[in-house]
């Protein structure tokens, strides 16, 4: 510490040049060196790590300039007030842009650093960019000011000027001097007076200011109470956050697509959101949670396919949630780390809503031009009316038949929906024949992977039981009979 004393003393001598710091030191008893270092440390941490950066930079933009503006007003320094007016106009413009462009600013992590440097350049005496801005802008506006003043003078009758002058003279006053003063633009001479109270025009000014302030306050209260939409939350794997349900689209008699507003700018990045992944939905009424795999991650929302089960508390809770309400969720939680081209072929076996994580992965594989992995899907359902994402799967398979093959099978081909053609897919539960025809052969070894997702009965029938979320359990079922190895199969 002793080695730092010469530097601290030198820094203290430098800070002694600033009257404001001397006043703070005298008022608080805190040495100006420590006070300055503390402010610098707090500001640096806040700005560089984006911890209350918006609040910190706004405080920096207002505290010192406000003090200097009041000081100029007290000293009746007209030139300084002109410059500070320009500065606060600039700060207001910056704050307005921040409110409207907060999503865009997400992509500029050093924005607040640039803002601090810009603010210092605007108000520090060494640079005083506000004066440069004032000198550049005001000359452009002078013609408009002159035109407005001329128009104003033409509209005021002579009688109104005389009446206003008499009203001023009617205010109680104390004589200040016997000198006379000429009123410009009116041609009227009057004794110089010192009003004891506000002049009528000053009363009007105060009334206008108070009325404007009241309107702004009431407007803010009404806006934030009834119209303001808060910025949507961002998904985080660790913490539950509230997401607004914005739309419900029924897909089948018991399954709906639920759209939730979210701020997910990373969804538009080349890497995108991690898939396959899921979010954990919490039913706050009974503190029960369940995992759902979104079928869509977009910048402003994500979509869940939710099937309603009579004995499923979370599924019933989601279906009963009205549009406009909020649901607590966290995520995305990666279900299976995926690496492009890790295997040549992926076989997928899905049942019901078990299609959702596999659908995520299919979209990711087909969207990546560098990923040459081939995908084969067997998707089983009770009836044609229960097949989820039917059109989406058919479109993707038709667009890239060399990369994706889809085989649909139903327990019963009867379709209760009107004007629907005859079922052309498979009929019956998933069996050995279907697996041998549509899945990559077990002989490919580690060049092939099989992913299974669906109800517990389907998983046990195809790949053996999965004891819990963290234990895959031994391979069994049809895949075991066909010669697949444990390391080739993953159960969701």
């Amino acid at each position: 510490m002793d080695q730092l004393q010469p530097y601290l003393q030198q820094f203290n001598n430098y800070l002694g040049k600033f009257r404001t710091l001397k006043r703070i030191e005298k008022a608080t008893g805190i040495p100006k060196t420590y006070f300055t270092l503390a402010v610098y440390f707090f500001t640096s941490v806040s700005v560089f790590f984006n911890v209350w950066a918006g609040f910190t930079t706004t405080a920096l933009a207002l505290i010192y300039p406000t003090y200097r503006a009041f000081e100029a007003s007290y000293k009746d320094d007209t030139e300084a007030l002109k410059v500070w007016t320009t500065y606060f106009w600039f700060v207001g413009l910056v704050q307005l842009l921040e409110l409207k462009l907060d999503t865009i600013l997400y992509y500029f992590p050093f924005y607040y650093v640039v803002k601090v440097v810009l603010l210092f350049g605007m108000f520090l005496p060494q640079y005083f960019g506000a004066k440069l801005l004032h000198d550049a802008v005001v000359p452009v506006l002078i013609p408009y000011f002159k035109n407005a003043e001329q128009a104003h003078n033409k509209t005021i009758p002579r009688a109104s000027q005389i009446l206003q002058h008499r009203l001023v003279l009617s205010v109680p006053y104390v004589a200040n001097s016997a000198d006379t003063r000429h009123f410009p633009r009116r041609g009227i001479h009057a004794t110089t007076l010192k009003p004891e109270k506000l002049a009528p025009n000053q009363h009007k000014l105060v009334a206008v200011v108070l009325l404007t302030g009241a309107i702004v306050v009431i407007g803010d209260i009404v806006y934030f109470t009834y119209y303001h939409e808060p910025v949507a939350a961002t998904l985080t794997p660790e913490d539950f956050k509230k997401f607004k349900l914005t739309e419900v689209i029924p897909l089948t008699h018991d399954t709906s697509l639920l759209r939730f507003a979210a701020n997910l700018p990373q969804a538009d990045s080349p890497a995108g959101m991690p898939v396959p992944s899921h979010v954990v939905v919490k039913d706050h009424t009974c503190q029960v949670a369940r995992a759902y795999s979104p079928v869509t991650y977009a910048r402003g929302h994500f979509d869940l396919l939710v099937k309603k089960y009579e004995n499923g508390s979370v599924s019933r809770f989601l279906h009963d949630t009205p549009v406009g309400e909020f649901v607590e969720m966290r995520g995305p939680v990666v279900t299976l780390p995926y690496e492009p081209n890790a295997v040549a072929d992926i076989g997928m076996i899905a049942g019901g809503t078990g299609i959702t994580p596999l659908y995520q992965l299919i979209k990711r594989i087909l969207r990546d031009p560098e990923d040459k992995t081939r995908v084969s899907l067997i998707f089983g359902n009770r009836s044609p009316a229960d097949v989820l994402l039917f059109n989406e799967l058919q479109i993707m398979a038709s667009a890239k038949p060399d990369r994706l093959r889809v085989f649909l099978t139903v327990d019963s081909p009867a379709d209760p929906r009107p004007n629907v053609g005859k079922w052309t897919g498979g009929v019956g539960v998933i069996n050995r024949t279907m697996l041998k025809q549509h899945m990559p052969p077990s002989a490919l070894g580690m060049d092939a992977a099989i992913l299974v997702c669906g109800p517990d009965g389907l998983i046990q029938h195809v790949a053996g039981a999965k004891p819990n979320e963290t234990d895959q359990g031994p391979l069994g079922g049809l895949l075991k009979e066909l010669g697949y190895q444990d390391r080739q199969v993953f159960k969701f």
Side-chain angles (χ1 to χ4, degrees):
M1 189 66 180
D2 294 336
Q3 297 176 348
L4 296 176
Q5 286 302 324
Y7 299 98
L8 291 175
Q9 185 60 42
Q10 184 178 0
F11 186 55
N12 185 69
N13 295 336
Y14 172 78
L15 296 177
K17 301 177 182 178
F18 301 94
R19 292 178 300 167
T20 304
L21 292 177
K22 289 181 179 180
R23 293 172 183 172
I24 294 175
E25 183 180 39
K26 184 177 180 180
T28 62
I30 302 175
K32 53 182 174 292
T33 301
Y34 296 146
F35 175 82
T36 304
L37 291 176
V39 171
Y40 174 78
F41 175 79
F42 173 81
T43 303
S44 300
V45 172
S46 175
V47 171
F48 278 94
F49 296 99
N50 200 11
V51 180
W52 291 1
F55 171 83
T56 302
T57 54
T58 302
L60 287 175
L62 295 179
I63 294 176
Y64 176 75
T66 301
Y67 168 78
R68 291 298 304 274
F70 276 114
E71 183 182 55
S73 177
Y74 175 78
K75 294 180 178 180
D76 202 17
D77 187 348
T78 306
E79 292 302 315
L81 282 174
K82 291 179 181 178
V83 174
W84 286 118
T85 300
T86 306
Y87 169 80
F88 284 111
W89 162 79
F90 172 80
V91 170
L93 180 62
V94 171
Q95 294 299 114
L96 182 63
L97 291 176
E98 283 186 7
L99 289 174
K100 296 300 181 183
L101 303 178
D102 55 339
T103 302
I104 297 176
L105 295 180
Y106 178 89
Y107 291 98
F108 297 90
F110 295 103
Y111 164 75
Y112 288 110
V113 177
V114 175
K115 180 182 177 182
V116 168
V117 173
L118 185 62
L119 290 174
F120 282 170
M122 289 293 291
F123 67 69
L124 286 181
Q126 297 94 320
Y127 311 105
F128 219 175
K131 187 178 187 308
L132 299 177
L133 183 62
H134 173 270
D135 294 342
V137 173
V138 169
V140 178
L141 300 177
I142 285 178
Y144 299 96
F145 295 155
K146 289 183 177 179
N147 293 337
E149 184 179 13
Q150 292 173 1
H152 179 266
N153 291 338
K154 291 179 180 179
T155 58
I156 301 179
R158 177 69 176 174
S160 176
Q161 297 180 17
I162 296 174
L163 178 60
Q164 184 179 9
H165 175 61
R166 291 178 177 176
L167 286 173
V168 172
L169 294 180
S170 68
V171 178
Y173 64 90
V174 177
N176 189 42
S177 172
D179 298 333
T180 59
R181 179 181 60 186
H182 178 70
F183 284 76
R185 295 195 300 271
R186 292 188 179 137
I188 299 173
H189 295 266
T191 304
T192 303
L193 304 174
K194 182 179 180 182
E196 290 184 333
K197 298 181 180 179
L198 293 175
N201 61 328
Q202 293 174 315
H203 280 292
K204 293 179 181 179
L205 178 61
V206 171
V208 169
V209 171
L210 293 177
L211 180 61
T212 303
I215 292 174
V216 170
V217 171
I218 294 173
D220 283 344
I221 293 174
V222 172
Y223 172 71
F224 282 100
T225 304
Y226 298 102
Y227 301 103
H228 175 65
E229 286 289 340
V231 177
T234 300
L235 280 168
T236 56
E238 299 83 11
D239 303 317
F240 281 99
K241 295 184 178 181
K242 293 183 178 181
F243 295 90
K244 185 178 181 179
L245 177 62
T246 60
E247 190 175 3
V248 176
I249 303 175
L251 300 181
T252 68
H253 66 283
D254 60 0
T255 304
S256 297
L257 183 144
L258 279 61
R259 175 160 294 177
F260 292 90
N263 181 26
L264 304 175
Q266 62 269 45
D268 290 344
S269 66
M273 300 292 287
V275 296
S277 60
H278 63 266
V279 297
V280 180
V281 181
K282 181 168 69 173
D283 177 1
H284 69 276
T285 62
C286 59
Q287 297 300 311
V288 175
R290 187 186 185 282
Y292 288 91
S293 298
V295 292
T296 302
Y297 286 116
R299 166 181 285 275
H301 69 270
F302 61 92
D303 301 333
L304 301 182
L305 277 184
V306 181
K307 183 176 182 177
K308 186 175 183 179
Y309 295 94
E310 291 304 320
N311 58 347
S313 61
V314 179
S315 69
R316 285 188 287 106
F317 162 73
L318 287 173
H319 275 267
D320 294 340
T321 300
V323 172
E325 293 298 317
F326 289 83
V327 177
E328 292 184 75
M329 285 179 262
R330 65 177 179 87
V333 180
V334 178
T335 311
L336 172 67
Y338 173 74
E339 291 292 335
N341 301 309
V343 295
D345 292 271
I346 295 180
M348 299 181 178
I349 306 169
T353 54
I355 187 63
T356 53
L358 305 182
Y359 180 72
Q360 281 184 358
L361 187 53
I362 292 173
K363 289 200 299 182
R364 173 60 55 84
I365 292 173
L366 298 183
R367 191 176 65 181
D368 185 357
E370 302 299 323
D371 194 343
K372 307 302 180 183
T373 307
R374 296 181 295 271
V375 179
S376 302
L377 170 67
I378 298 178
F379 186 19
N381 288 275
R382 294 180 179 176
S383 72
D386 294 310
V387 179
L388 302 172
L389 304 171
F390 177 85
N391 292 330
E392 291 80 356
L393 292 172
Q394 295 298 326
I395 291 172
M396 289 191 295
S398 300
K400 296 188 177 180
D402 58 325
R403 304 278 305 284
L404 174 63
R405 294 185 300 136
V406 177
F407 177 74
L408 305 177
T409 182
V410 294
D411 297 345
S412 171
D415 194 335
R417 297 173 297 177
N419 303 322
V420 176
K422 184 179 179 181
W423 177 252
T424 59
V427 177
V429 298
I430 298 173
N431 53 47
R432 288 170 56 97
T433 302
M434 296 178 186
L435 296 177
K436 291 177 68 175
Q437 289 179 350
H438 302 286
M439 290 291 100
S442 59
L444 290 177
M446 295 309 296
D447 279 338
I450 306 295
L451 309 180
V452 186
C453 187
D456 292 340
L458 171 70
I459 294 178
Q460 184 171 359
H461 170 65
V462 172
K466 181 181 179 182
N468 53 61
E469 291 298 323
T470 59
D471 185 4
Q472 287 282 303
L475 180 63
L478 299 179
L479 293 177
K480 180 70 172 179
E481 297 175 8
L482 293 173
Y484 291 92
Q485 304 297 315
D486 290 65
R487 57 183 181 175
Q488 291 179 278
V489 179
F490 182 84
K491 310 170 193 176
F492 282 84

